[in-house]
Amino acid sequence: GRIRSLTLLSAIGAVEYELLGDHRLNHLIPGLQLAGFWLLREAVPHFGALDGGFLTLEYARNFYDSDQRPLRRIMERLTLPVLILHGARDPLVSPAAAREHHRIIPQSEVRMNLGDHFAVFQRPDLVAEPLADFLLRVERGAARTRATADPERRAAAARPFDPRQVPRLSGFALVAVGFLLAAATLASEDLACIAAGLMVARGTIGFLPAAAACFAGIYLGDLLLFFAGRWLGRRMAGRAPLRWVVSAAEIERSAQWLSRKGAGLVLLSRFLPGTRLPTYFTAGLLRASVPAFAGYFFLASLLWTPALVGLAAAYGEAALTLVRGLRDQLLPYLLVAGAGLFLLTKLLLPLCSWRGRRLFLAAWRRWTRWEYWPRWLFYPPVVAYILWLGLKHRSLTLFTAANPAIPGGGLVGESKAAILRGLDRGDGLVARFEVIPAWIAPEDRAGQALDFKRRHGLDWPLVLKPDVGERGSGVAIIPGEVELRAYLAAASSDTIIQEYAPGQEFGVFYYRMPGDGAGRIFSITEKRFPAVVGDGRRSLEELILADERAVAMAPYLLRLHARRLAWIPAAGERVPLVELGTHCRGAAFYDGGWVWTAELEAAIDRLSQGYDGFWIGRYDIRAPSLEAFCAGRQFKVVELNGVGAEATHIYDPRTPLGTAYRTLFAQWRLLFEIAARNTRGGARPASPGQLLRLVAAHRRATRSHPNP
């Protein structure tokens, strides 16, 4: 009601005459272009070089924000006078669009001038004169409205749109669209190729220009990835934003593939979405031959681009028709299609290879064998039982009084060094250790560690681990000085350096009831370190995946040994896979009750009673032989855990889930009973506030652990 007339000046109105002919799809191209320019400016160090000029983020944003909405239905309902001003040589909006606007608005007047899209700036006379004449007639009421339009024009406006009227792009318009397609490939190569194919299907652009534009953008993008790896190097792989899209393990694997496959891998990765970035970046990182890989990229892009554009041209229009027909139910169909695509890429395609099938088996075993379950899945019944015991004893934190010598009883946040100091009586049963504080300079830390090694006459390897930690987090077997310096330079919390105790490892869960003269062994865990044996034919990766036990931990083991997965061990060569007795880091746990002896129990009891205020917990022990361990001599305690420990023999693959829960319930009943007796003797459990502070300190410490 507030508008007297409307003038369309070089205007986009009928969306069929713009790019892909569909607003939602048209919006993808400037959107991809905007994303590409944003990444170029934000992710590439340019030192201001990209802040000026024509091709900037602001340029791309202008295209994205000014994209028009579908206007055909609005134009079909217009009743007021309309003037259409258009340049006959307009390179951006085809004059055919103006003629279509004139058809569907029967009262409109069309004035085609000899200018182009920028006539309003360059030849204002071509615009001002017809516009002034039109506005004067509108003011006098002499301009036509839909009601006074010619009947033949109204009949022509009622006819459906004929897509054959859309002309093919040429000249500057063709160059501009080609540039947009090339720029869009920097954000998504495949989507840009599909968009180009749809334009070919609609007749908007020829096949050769569409394929050439996409090829130019893809080839340039491949070279940029290659030179990014060459110039930025390996240090950028662990930093944002690159680490968000490619992991260090993927780069390591690509490096090994490149050393073996070379050109074949480049060609293969072009046809496997998701592998291009790590492969091309790694090729540059390894300083591969520029002419050779430029040729590989050229050949791969030349094979891939026309094929994808051609497929989109052949079948894309049918897909668009289907989408338009399902527009009202588009969201459910998209969700189903997305789920299908996810299953295809994450499940079906990997199952087509032996490696993919073995990794699927690894995932299956981790979910069907409870010993591999994540903590959030396994522990809820245990937590519920602990809460019930707390209510029964009228104190939810009572169990923290089970070990008065250890803050919080040893649930969380305790100092491993303080516990070892309380346990050590100078009899050689505790592995020698020393704390390296985090506040001293990295070079001084290394000096202290080397001095510890020299004073005690120790050889390599040594053990480094955080003073506060859990489940083997941050623990490393250090083979030499280079690795020692690197670990200590990365450490931001206090670190324990400890002698390496060779031999077999056992976990011994011990308890003594206050008032009793002797304690007992509740559980013994035999820890085995998995290994594979080479056959002279298969790589280490293949051996890990083929091993029936190791395959369940394959994701972790493949990351751990990423640098040597392509290595082929000699026939009969034994390759240890892990060196730490931690279940979540690959060690196999078995019920070691069969190694119990009265001598072992007496030795553990003597050791425990020497630590005043300790009543229950689990020792991690290494012994040079099974005979020495059973005799209770020559073993080395490498760690002692308090109430946060558990009887780890339950992780024996033969243990039923119900038996595991019954064992843990019995362990927690002992904890509460010991704590109750201690409180009657004067011990005080931690308050909820103290426990929360210990948990917070523990979380801060574990986040700072080095990742060896």
Side-chain angles (χ1 to χ4, degrees), residues 247 251 479 569 604 620 630 648 666 668:
S247 67
I251 290 178
I604 297 296
D620 291 334
C630 292
T648 51
W668 278 95

Side-chain angles (χ1 to χ4, degrees), residues 21-46:
D22 182 277
H23 169 259
R24 293 173 180 82
L25 295 173
N26 285 348
H27 209 57
L28 283 176
I29 290 182
L32 292 172
Q33 177 184 247
L34 177 62
F37 275 98
W38 183 87
L39 282 173
L40 191 64
R41 190 175 83 169
E42 300 297 331
V44 177
H46 57 82

Side-chain angles (χ1 to χ4, degrees), residues 655-678:
T655 302
L657 179 60
T659 302
Y661 280 134
R662 284 192 294 272
T663 301
L664 292 180
F665 293 168
Q667 172 190 318
W668 278 95
R669 285 195 300 272
L670 279 173
L671 275 166
F672 271 88
E673 181 58 33
I674 291 171
R677 293 193 185 187
N678 282 336

Side-chain angles (χ1 to χ4, degrees), residues 508-511 518-524 595-609 629-632 635:
V508 179
F509 198 98
Y510 163 90
Y511 74 96
R520 298 186 60 188
I521 290 177
F522 180 81
S523 158
I524 299 178
V595 305
W596 178 93
T597 63
E599 293 82 3
L600 173 63
E601 188 168 76
I604 297 296
D605 187 45
R606 284 194 302 272
L607 181 64
S608 302
Q609 294 206 36
F629 178 69
C630 292
F635 60 74

Side-chain angles (χ1 to χ4, degrees), residues 523-593:
S523 158
I524 299 178
T525 303
E526 177 193 1
K527 300 181 180 183
R528 300 179 190 173
F529 304 116
V532 292
V533 179
D535 57 9
R537 296 180 297 102
R538 292 180 293 179
S539 67
L540 179 60
E541 179 180 30
E542 292 171 319
L543 292 171
I544 290 172
L545 293 174
D547 187 88
E548 290 305 308
R549 174 73 189 183
V551 71
M553 293 295 294
Y556 169 75
L557 294 175
L558 294 180
R559 289 194 304 270
L560 182 66
H561 298 281
R563 294 182 180 275
R564 56 174 190 162
L565 289 178
W567 167 54
I568 300 177
E573 182 177 0
R574 187 177 184 276
V575 183
L577 298 180
V578 297
E579 295 180 290
L580 298 175
T582 307
H583 188 268
C584 64
R585 295 183 67 175
F589 286 6
Y590 292 89
D591 187 346

Side-chain angles (χ1 to χ4, degrees), residues 310-323:
L311 283 172
Y315 301 104
E317 190 64 27
L320 278 179
T321 303
L322 178 63
V323 168

